Amino acid sequence: NAGVTQTPKFQVLKTGQSMTLQCAQDMNHNSMYWYRQDPGMGLRLIYYSASEGTTDKGEVPNGYNVSRLNKREFSLRLESAAPSQTSVYFCASSEVGTGELFFGEGSRLTVL
Amino acid sequence: RKEVEQDPGPFNVPEGATVAFNCTYSNSASQSFFWYRQDCRKEPKLLMSVYSSGNEDGRFTAQLNRASQYISLLIRDSKLSDSATYLCVVIDYMDSNYQLIWGAGTKLIIKP
């Protein structure tokens, strides 16, 4: 019962480095999300994918790119990391139009 | 003004007490509402949906007040394990799209 799996769980980057966060779900969900969570600010949507082959910007997309590789996988890429991107990143999946999201365990990213 | 607002707390409550907190939303057309629970340094997990008629699950009761535009969560006979941050989510449907709007969470600490 894996659910939503994110990797890596922890990462430290230097300013300007790039990296990709990987996410996979095994629940056959159409919708997948990438959120970031900062203290006191709740979850902010970075990108969203309603189905395989589609992606849409969320509230805070600048500095990120995504790829919906197939129905299972949705990756988030930081092309040139900045200290402002230090955060906890959560991937989630759901059926389309529902509020029942299943989250991965999170990826804690520090940009120095 | 934030679209979904929660008192950040923390609410410090003795074990066995009843505690309630609210989540206000700004869009009167919002249609779906949920409570999530997030333990420290963990991912959010769905606690319960909030129906127009209210919803009860064991010690937890969720209610919707459309006139005043808020949802509430009441916890009876609180346990130490109820200590967590409680996030509310509101779903707005616009045309053929939907948007999940998250509150920043209310931190609850149950004391022995």
Side-chain angles (χ1 to χ4, degrees):
Chain A
N1 57 344
V4 179
T5 304
Q6 283 181 241
T7 57
K9 287 187 168 52
F10 300 93
Q11 184 72 50
V12 178
L13 294 176
K14 294 181 180 178
T15 297
Q17 288 185 317
S18 62
M19 75 159 299
T20 300
L21 300 176
Q22 307 285 354
C23 176
Q25 52 94 6
D26 62 4
M27 295 171 282
N28 203 36
H29 287 157
N30 283 300
S31 296
M32 296 188 73
Y33 314 76
W34 274 106
Y35 286 95
R36 62 177 288 173
Q37 187 175 39
D38 301 295
M41 298 193 69
L43 290 163
R44 291 187 292 169
L45 184 65
I46 304 171
Y47 270 94
Y48 160 66
S49 172
S51 61
E52 183 180 352
T54 68
T55 61
D56 290 291
K57 294 179 180 179
E59 183 184 354
V60 288
N62 291 344
Y64 306 95
N65 286 300
V66 290
S67 296
R68 183 74 183 266
L69 303 171
N70 47 55
K71 192 171 186 179
R72 291 187 64 248
E73 298 173 288
F74 188 36
S75 63
L76 178 73
R77 183 163 179 82
L78 288 70
E79 290 290 353
S80 179
S84 60
Q85 294 178 305
T86 294
S87 189
V88 180
Y89 292 84
F90 287 104
C91 177
S93 71
S94 75
E95 288 301 333
V96 175
T98 76
E100 185 174 8
L101 273 63
F102 295 83
F103 286 84
E105 294 182 337
S107 299
R108 284 164 175 76
L109 175 65
T110 300
V111 182
L112 303 176
Chain B
R1 181 187 170 195
K2 293 182 182 177
E3 296 182 63
V4 175
E5 293 196 51
Q6 296 184 253
D7 184 335
F11 284 48
N12 290 284
V13 175
E15 190 176 9
T18 295
V19 60
F21 30 83
N22 296 336
C23 167
T24 61
Y25 60 94
S26 60
N27 184 359
S28 61
S30 296
Q31 297 188 21
S32 301
F33 310 87
F34 303 84
W35 283 105
Y36 277 72
R37 171 197 170 118
Q38 185 173 24
D39 293 309
C40 186
R41 300 181 68 79
K42 298 287 189 179
E43 74 274 22
K45 293 183 180 179
L46 180 67
L47 179 64
M48 57 198 310
S49 304
V50 186
Y51 305 126
S52 296
S53 57
N55 188 18
E56 186 172 321
D57 183 2
R59 298 181 293 107
F60 296 81
T61 300
Q63 292 192 314
L64 167 64
N65 185 318
R66 282 200 180 275
S68 300
Q69 295 183 207
Y70 71 88
I71 61 173
S72 63
L73 180 67
L74 182 142
I75 306 173
R76 289 179 298 276
D77 187 23
S78 53
K79 312 292 185 189
L80 295 176
S81 57
D82 294 334
S83 297
T85 296
Y86 291 84
L87 307 171
C88 66
V89 182
V90 173
I91 298 184
D92 289 346
Y93 294 90
M94 297 166 292
D95 300 322
S96 58
N97 297 317
Y98 70 100
Q99 182 180 12
L100 283 78
I101 306 169
W102 292 80
T106 295
K107 186 171 185 177
L108 175 65
I109 300 172
I110 306 298
K111 296 185 176 297

